[in-house]
Amino acid sequence: MPEEKYVAVAHRPVAKQQHGEAAFFDVDNTLMRGASLFHVARKMHQRGAFTIAQAAGMAWKQLKFVLRGENLNDVHAVRDSALRLAAGITEEDIKALGEEVYDEMIASRIWPGAKALAEQHLRVGRKVWLVTATPIEVATVISTRLGLTGALGTVGETKDGLYTGRLVGDILHGAAKAVAVQGIADQHGLDLKRCWAYSDSYNDIPLLTMVGHPVAINPDARLRKHAREHNWPVYDFRSGRRAATLGLKAATAGGAVYGLWRGYTRFRGPRA
């Protein structure tokens, strides 16, 4: 991934830098509740045409993700929808969209416990990077707002300042995250055996196994099993809310779809 897509942030003083050490955080269901890419697609849909079937499909994918964890087919489906809608939009508009998505949809979904872990790494002098399949523009906003070191995310291709609807490389997911983190380690002189990685998904095993301190946060069933078998730490920030919310989420799936459809079908001006 190109160096210019990395984001350096210095919003707060930290302890003396721990050379060779860093922490890497997945975003979806790890740092925040739900899928950030879903909210990007939702905001993009608000700017253009769509059908009730698209709205219902996206709502169902988000609900499954919150309740059961990551499914690669669903991630790719939402990605493809977002790419189609992004074609022809300017880079500045996408950056502004990232700010809107954070303020309206992501900020309230940040897990306080995960945020506290990231802040603790910063306090003792470790760099903290986000590593996520979400678009780099949105990952950058999250990183900046939380005062982290930087972000790695999926990069959309641009030509003459406009997005083409294609990717530079592939979505930053699974094994691709491990490749990206190795690149950061090489550039910044990190000793990965002295680094931490946090994720909720079994798909991130390549990333988790390359560091000396892998941690499962809000893990899906397969990652929870793997973490127990390998004696990895497990944090579940959902537990306190699960009893109160799980049944409600399942019971109101139809209402969620209808609510999204109503939100999407409000009149919107032409796409920027």
Side-chain angles (χ1 to χ4, degrees):
M1 192 170 293
E3 173 67 26
E4 63 268 16
K5 292 297 184 180
Y6 300 158
V7 181
V9 180
H11 283 235
R12 67 183 73 180
V14 297
K16 182 179 179 180
Q17 182 64 44
Q18 300 294 321
H19 295 292
E21 297 183 9
F24 300 93
F25 281 76
D26 172 50
V27 171
D28 298 340
N29 264 1
T30 301
L31 185 64
M32 63 169 282
R33 174 168 50 89
S36 53
L37 187 58
F38 167 84
H39 298 297
V40 174
R42 174 183 172 185
K43 176 60 69 172
M44 287 182 173
H45 271 287
Q46 291 176 356
R47 295 179 174 224
F50 62 94
T51 66
I52 187 172
Q54 286 176 306
M58 289 172 60
W60 176 241
K61 289 179 178 65
Q62 171 75 339
L63 184 65
K64 286 195 299 179
F65 184 74
V66 170
L67 296 179
R68 298 192 310 186
E70 185 177 72
N71 178 283
L72 187 56
N73 290 333
D74 289 344
V75 172
H76 284 175
V78 176
R79 173 205 64 186
D80 292 342
S81 296
L83 284 171
R84 284 194 297 271
L85 288 171
I89 298 179
T90 69
E91 292 182 78
E92 290 304 315
D93 284 335
I94 292 293
K95 291 176 182 177
L97 181 145
E99 298 283 351
E100 292 177 20
V101 168
Y102 184 88
D103 289 334
E104 298 175 17
M105 304 169 186
I106 292 178
S108 63
R109 292 174 168 83
I110 298 291
W111 295 111
K115 180 182 176 183
L117 287 171
E119 291 174 340
Q120 176 61 20
H121 284 294
L122 291 173
R123 278 195 294 271
V124 299
R126 297 188 190 101
K127 295 181 178 180
V128 178
W129 294 84
L130 300 183
V131 187
T132 175
T134 207
I136 186 62
E137 292 80 8
V138 178
T140 297
V141 171
I142 298 172
S143 173
T144 301
R145 295 294 189 90
L146 296 179
L148 308 182
T149 306
L152 296 170
T154 299
V155 180
E157 180 186 74
T158 60
K159 184 177 182 180
D160 299 327
L162 301 177
Y163 285 86
T164 66
R166 296 185 294 271
L167 294 179
V168 176
D170 201 358
I171 189 170
L172 193 63
H173 183 273
K177 289 185 179 180
V179 173
V181 167
Q182 185 63 62
I184 286 285
D186 293 343
Q187 292 166 18
H188 293 268
L190 300 179
D191 179 356
L192 289 174
K193 294 305 178 184
R194 295 165 54 202
C195 291
W196 281 253
Y198 298 82
S199 179
D200 71 293
S201 174
Y202 185 81
N203 292 320
D204 285 342
I205 287 291
L207 169 62
L208 293 168
T209 55
M210 74 187 302
V211 299
H213 304 282
V215 181
I217 292 185
N218 307 325
D220 59 31
R222 288 194 299 166
L223 179 58
R224 184 180 294 276
K225 180 175 182 292
H226 188 92
R228 285 174 175 170
E229 291 172 349
H230 292 80
N231 200 30
W232 293 355
V234 175
Y235 295 95
D236 198 330
F237 302 123
R238 302 165 297 185
S239 300
R241 301 177 59 181
R242 184 175 295 170
T245 62
L246 188 58
L248 179 62
K249 288 174 182 174
T252 59
V257 171
Y258 177 74
L260 281 170
W261 172 64
R262 290 290 296 171
Y264 290 150
T265 50
R266 293 173 185 168
F267 174 77
R268 303 285 174 181
R271 289 195 312 183

